[in-house]
């Protein structure tokens, strides 16, 4: 599946819908009951007129939804129609009659009907395959097979282990970058490699977030571990503030990076997106940071003050070599804060040089 297709799949509407089907929800419990009984069923969610137009026959119930009642009614051959809020079973043993001219890639009768109804109405249709023992949801043109809880949990834990390794490497790389920044030895290759690493960490975290969504109540511990690993991961924004070439908009750069397929995450592409071009020797070009990322490592220094300091001095080198009097001249900085910045930068530099050599 392409990245563009994945992004479309996990848009806000899809996420809102899939949350109705995750473990811990009444609907998922009813579906799991049918799955364990190795039965097939077709479910249409929604009771507005465009959806009801494809419903023919069946028993009009309008009874309260319960997983047990849903399971018993699912034993009949026809489809089950649920209200939009999933609180009532509107019809049982109904027939769904979509337009037969609507194209479908499915082969089984139940799944062909489900896909056509979803495409025709834009609504949510769920099909359980009796033969393959799978739950498949259709939402408009989207099709998604719900994963078994154990499979999702296993994949989430594997992704967490990968993320932990990537985060450790990223921390070491950022420490090395800090040391190079204070020594004025940074090249575009150093910057590009770290941006690639930050983007990879972001993508792994996004994959885990999707597993957490699909795990529902079973994903609480995974979510806690993810939050701990990503607690202070704002590196991409600060890196782009430090190294985007004049005229490049950070938000646009961020969007371009996020849209890159995995195989295109390489240094020359990163340099081009940052606005430096992609000439043969571009990776060896020395660059000077503005100082956003390093200044943000000083405790209790608001972003507004950081922006004022960078706007005044332009580069980290100038900020580091500024006197307390010169720092005091910056808007919003008094003598006390100027001393805090001066001492803070010295501590960050000493720590970066020390950690790099450990």
């Amino acid at each position: 599946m392409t990245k563009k297709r994945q992004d479309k799949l996990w848009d806000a509407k899809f996420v809102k819908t899939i949350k109705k089907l995750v473990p811990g929800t009444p609907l998922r419990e009813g579906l799991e009951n049918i799955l364990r009984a190795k039965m097939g069923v077709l479910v249409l969610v929604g009771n507005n007129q465009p959806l009801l137009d494809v419903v023919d026959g069946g028993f009009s119930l309008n009874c309260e939804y319960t997983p047990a009642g849903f399971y018993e009614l699912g034993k009949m051959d026809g489809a089950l129609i649920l209200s939009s809020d999933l609180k009532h079973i509107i019809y049982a043993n109904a027939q769904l009659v979509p337009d037969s001219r609507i194209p479908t890639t499915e082969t089984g009768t139940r799944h062909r009907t489900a896909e056509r109804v979803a495409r025709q109405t834009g609504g949510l249709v769920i099909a359980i395959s009796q033969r393959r023992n799978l739950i498949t949801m259709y939402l408009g043109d989207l099709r998604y097979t719900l994963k078994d809880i154990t499979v999702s949990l296993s994949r989430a834990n594997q992704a967490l282990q990968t993320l932990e390794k990537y985060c450790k490497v990223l921390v070491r790389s950022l420490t090395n970058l800090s040391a190079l920044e204070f020594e004025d030895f940074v090249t575009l290759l150093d910057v590009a490699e770290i941006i690639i690493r930050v983007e990879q960490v972001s993508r792994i975290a996004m994959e885990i977030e999707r597993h957490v969504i699909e795990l529902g109540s079973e994903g609480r511990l995974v979510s806690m571990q993810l939050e701990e690993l990503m607690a202070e991961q704002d590196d991409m924004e600060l890196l782009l503030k430090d190294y985007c070439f004049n005229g490049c908009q950070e938000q646009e750069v961020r969007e371009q990076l996020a849209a890159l397929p995995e195989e295109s995450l390489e240094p020359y592409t990163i340099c081009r997106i940052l606005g430096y071009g992609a000439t043969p020797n571009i990776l060896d070009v020395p660059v000077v940071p503005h100082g956003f990322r390093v200044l943000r490592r000083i405790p209790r220094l608001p972003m507004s003050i950081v922006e004022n300091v960078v706007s005044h001095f332009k580069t980290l080198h100038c900020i580091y070599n500024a006197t307390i009097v010169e720092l005091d001249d910056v808007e919003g900085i008094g003598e006390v804060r100027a001393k805090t910045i001066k001492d803070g930068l010295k501590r960050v530099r000493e720590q970066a040089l020390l950690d790099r050599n450990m």
Side-chain angles (χ1 to χ4, degrees):
M1 184 181 292
T2 65
K3 191 173 191 308
K4 185 176 181 180
R5 172 67 175 167
Q6 285 179 325
D7 291 340
K8 182 181 178 184
L9 184 62
W10 286 90
D11 64 13
K13 183 180 178 182
F14 176 81
V15 171
K16 182 180 179 181
T17 302
I18 203 170
K19 284 182 177 179
K20 300 176 182 177
L21 305 174
V22 298
T25 60
L27 180 54
R28 183 60 175 264
E29 184 180 347
L31 294 171
E32 290 287 350
N33 288 341
I34 291 174
L35 200 64
R36 284 192 291 271
K38 300 188 182 303
M39 295 160 44
V41 75
L42 190 59
V43 183
L44 174 62
V45 178
N47 53 336
N48 55 40
Q49 197 54 50
L51 292 171
L52 294 180
D53 285 343
V54 301
V55 178
D56 182 40
F59 304 112
S60 178
L61 301 175
N62 200 26
C63 64
E64 182 182 356
Y65 173 90
T66 63
F70 179 81
Y71 165 69
E72 293 298 334
L73 292 169
K75 293 178 181 179
M76 291 186 280
D77 289 336
L80 295 171
I81 317 299
L82 305 182
S83 61
S84 299
D85 60 8
L86 303 177
K87 292 183 178 179
H88 294 87
I89 302 174
I90 308 299
Y91 290 97
N93 198 35
Q95 300 299 312
L96 301 184
V97 190
D99 187 340
S100 61
R101 293 170 296 179
I102 296 174
T104 174
T105 57
E106 298 290 359
T107 54
T109 302
R110 182 179 292 115
H111 289 74
R112 288 172 70 85
T113 300
E115 185 171 28
R116 281 176 170 152
V117 169
R119 287 184 170 182
Q120 180 173 329
T121 65
L124 170 63
V125 188
I126 305 162
I128 295 183
S129 171
Q130 182 176 5
R131 180 170 56 86
R132 293 184 296 164
N133 215 32
L134 295 173
I135 303 173
T136 305
M137 60 168 282
Y138 301 84
L139 182 67
D141 291 331
L142 298 179
R143 176 189 185 279
Y144 190 74
T145 300
L146 298 181
K147 300 179 185 67
D148 182 82
I149 296 172
T150 55
V151 172
S152 288
L153 198 55
S154 174
R155 291 181 180 177
N157 286 325
Q158 289 176 3
L160 275 173
Q161 292 175 13
T162 303
L163 179 62
E164 187 174 6
K165 293 176 183 177
Y166 271 65
C167 283
K168 287 180 179 178
V169 174
L170 177 59
V171 169
R172 290 197 297 269
S173 299
L174 288 169
T175 297
N176 183 59
L177 178 65
S178 296
L180 291 173
E181 287 175 337
F182 283 111
E183 296 170 337
D184 285 334
F185 288 152
V186 181
T187 66
L188 272 176
L189 177 61
D190 300 316
V191 176
E193 287 180 339
I194 288 183
I195 286 179
I196 290 171
R197 181 65 62 171
V198 175
E199 179 62 26
Q200 288 172 333
V201 165
S202 176
R203 293 185 183 192
I204 297 169
M206 187 180 296
E207 179 182 338
I208 297 171
E209 287 173 357
R210 291 169 178 174
H211 285 305
V212 169
I213 290 171
E214 196 166 345
L215 283 166
S217 59
E218 301 294 326
R220 185 175 61 87
L221 293 178
V222 175
S223 180
M224 291 171 63
Q225 289 175 274
L226 177 61
E227 287 179 9
E228 184 177 354
L229 285 171
M230 300 296 291
E232 298 180 2
Q233 293 294 335
D234 58 353
D235 302 297
M236 182 66 87
E237 178 184 353
L238 298 174
L239 281 167
L240 297 183
K241 281 181 173 292
D242 270 341
Y243 291 106
C244 271
F245 195 68
N246 291 339
C248 281
Q249 298 297 317
E250 293 140 27
Q251 184 59 37
E252 292 180 7
V253 171
R254 189 69 183 265
E255 291 172 359
Q256 289 181 58
L257 289 171
L260 284 176
E262 199 69 35
E263 61 273 14
S264 296
L265 277 176
E266 53 88 28
Y268 282 102
T269 303
I270 303 302
C271 291
R272 177 181 56 77
I273 291 176
L274 289 176
Y276 294 93
T279 57
N281 299 322
I282 193 68
L283 298 181
D284 298 323
V285 171
V287 284
V288 179
H290 294 300
F292 285 102
R293 190 179 63 87
V294 169
L295 285 171
R296 285 297 282 166
R297 295 184 62 186
I298 300 174
R300 296 180 296 280
L301 193 63
M303 190 62 190
S304 58
I305 298 299
V306 171
E307 289 174 344
N308 288 346
V309 173
V310 171
S311 177
H312 186 88
F313 292 101
K314 308 303 182 187
T315 68
L316 176 62
H317 179 78
C318 293
I319 297 170
Y320 182 78
N321 290 308
T323 65
I324 292 178
V325 173
E326 289 172 328
L327 288 168
D328 190 11
D329 287 338
V330 178
E331 183 182 353
I333 297 180
E335 184 179 349
V336 173
R337 181 166 276 168
K339 189 175 186 306
T340 299
I341 293 173
K342 191 72 176 175
D343 293 342
L345 286 173
K346 287 181 180 178
R347 284 194 297 271
V348 172
R349 180 180 184 277
E350 290 170 359
Q351 190 65 50
L353 294 175
L354 177 64
D355 290 346
R356 182 181 63 176
N357 296 321
M358 287 181 63

